[in-house]
Amino acid sequence: MATYAARVSNVAAKVAQGTSVSEALSGESASIALASGPLRFVPGDSAPPGEAYEAFIHRTACVPTRDNLHDFFNGLVWLHYPESKRRLNELQAAEIARDGIGATRGPLRDALTLFDENGAVLDAPKPLWDVLRARDWRGLFVTHRPLWREARLLVFGHALLEKLTVPRKAATAHVLIAPGEMTSGALDDATIAASLHPAHLATKPFTPLPVLGVPGWCVQNENFSFYDDSEVFRPRRDAERSPTPSPCDGGAA
């Protein structure tokens, strides 16, 4: 959350004075542009009937924004990581243009939506990655706890940011496993955007991480019995062959 702190203060102050969320966010977006023009935030009902949300953004460079926390955080991520959000939107719009809007999104759009809503990016030493992918929670949070001093975790998904305003122990991020190494600079906007390859994303390359287990994110985790909760810190199932996402707020299945 600290990543967004300065802009949270600026935008929230304007909203507290009666400005709409879309207007408050637009006041911060002057330097950002999409292919179709300068980025703007517009009222939530601005898209014409029948036009998909992502297609409308791609066509107009306008992000429909309601006066609620969910869209407030979506706007903050747009302001802080415009290249990554633009890349997500371009990929979504291309899929919509090709296949239209059906009953299901398909694997690529599912992955794009999951990362946009609930994704996170981790810059960490290899031993932390190894135990995270194995869902060895004791190894991740107890045995290798000192290594978290060398790690950085960015919550990218705006739905997860919203959930963390009222934290629950089961709040689970889906950490992107990039197609190549993401070490130094992994939380940089350009680096994240460059890692968003369609073929890779279509495999749903994410691994779950209960974020309140991260050292420093919750005072209760200083007592290691915090990690004994098997409803949140679930072991990896033998049948799993790849990091399959768990429900957005239901623990690390």
Side-chain angles (χ1 to χ4, degrees):
M1 298 287 278
T3 303
Y4 306 97
R7 282 205 168 99
V8 166
S9 298
N10 291 343
V11 176
K14 294 176 183 177
V15 172
Q17 293 169 1
T19 304
S20 68
V21 173
S22 59
E23 291 174 320
L25 290 166
S26 289
E28 302 282 322
S29 68
S31 63
I32 302 171
L34 277 61
S36 53
L39 178 68
R40 291 186 297 129
F41 298 89
V42 295
D45 59 358
S46 296
E51 184 169 17
Y53 170 82
E54 296 287 355
F56 176 76
I57 295 173
H58 189 258
R59 179 176 66 84
T60 65
C62 296
V63 180
T65 303
R66 300 161 296 181
D67 288 325
N68 60 28
L69 271 178
H70 188 86
D71 289 7
F72 172 84
F73 283 116
N74 182 49
L76 288 175
V77 181
W78 265 108
L79 295 175
H80 206 84
Y81 293 97
E83 291 186 44
S84 300
K85 291 286 279 187
R86 182 168 55 237
R87 177 64 172 159
L88 292 173
N89 177 252
E90 289 170 350
L91 293 173
Q92 288 271 20
E95 288 292 290
I96 292 168
R98 188 184 69 183
D99 298 331
I101 299 294
T104 59
R105 291 191 181 99
L108 177 56
R109 290 194 64 216
D110 274 349
L112 293 166
T113 302
L114 181 64
F115 185 64
D116 193 30
E117 295 277 347
N118 209 64
V121 181
L122 177 65
D123 182 359
K126 186 177 183 298
L128 286 183
W129 271 107
D130 291 342
V131 289
L132 171 60
R133 295 179 73 164
R135 300 186 201 176
D136 173 3
W137 306 117
R138 281 273 163 178
L140 182 65
F141 295 127
V142 180
T143 305
H144 292 300
R145 195 175 187 89
L147 287 179
W148 280 98
R149 299 190 192 101
E150 304 171 37
R152 295 182 300 155
L153 176 68
L154 163 73
V155 173
F156 184 92
H158 55 278
L160 184 55
L161 285 168
E162 180 186 9
K163 290 171 188 173
L164 290 174
T165 63
V166 184
R168 293 178 62 244
K169 189 175 183 179
T172 300
H174 293 87
V175 176
L176 176 65
I177 300 172
E181 291 294 324
M182 288 181 69
T183 53
S184 179
L187 307 192
D188 174 79
D189 187 21
T191 305
I192 297 170
S195 74
L196 300 174
H197 300 299
H200 181 67
L201 287 168
T203 68
K204 293 189 178 178
F206 305 101
T207 190
L209 173 63
V211 293
L212 294 191
V214 175
W217 284 51
C218 176
V219 66
Q220 285 84 0
N221 74 34
E222 293 176 9
N223 182 330
F224 293 162
S225 65
F226 184 87
Y227 303 108
D228 293 338
D229 186 346
S230 61
E231 291 300 309
V232 174
F233 301 100
R234 302 175 190 170
R236 190 178 182 85
R237 293 188 293 265
D238 290 342
E240 292 177 309
R241 297 182 180 179
S242 60
T244 303
S246 68
C248 287
D249 197 30

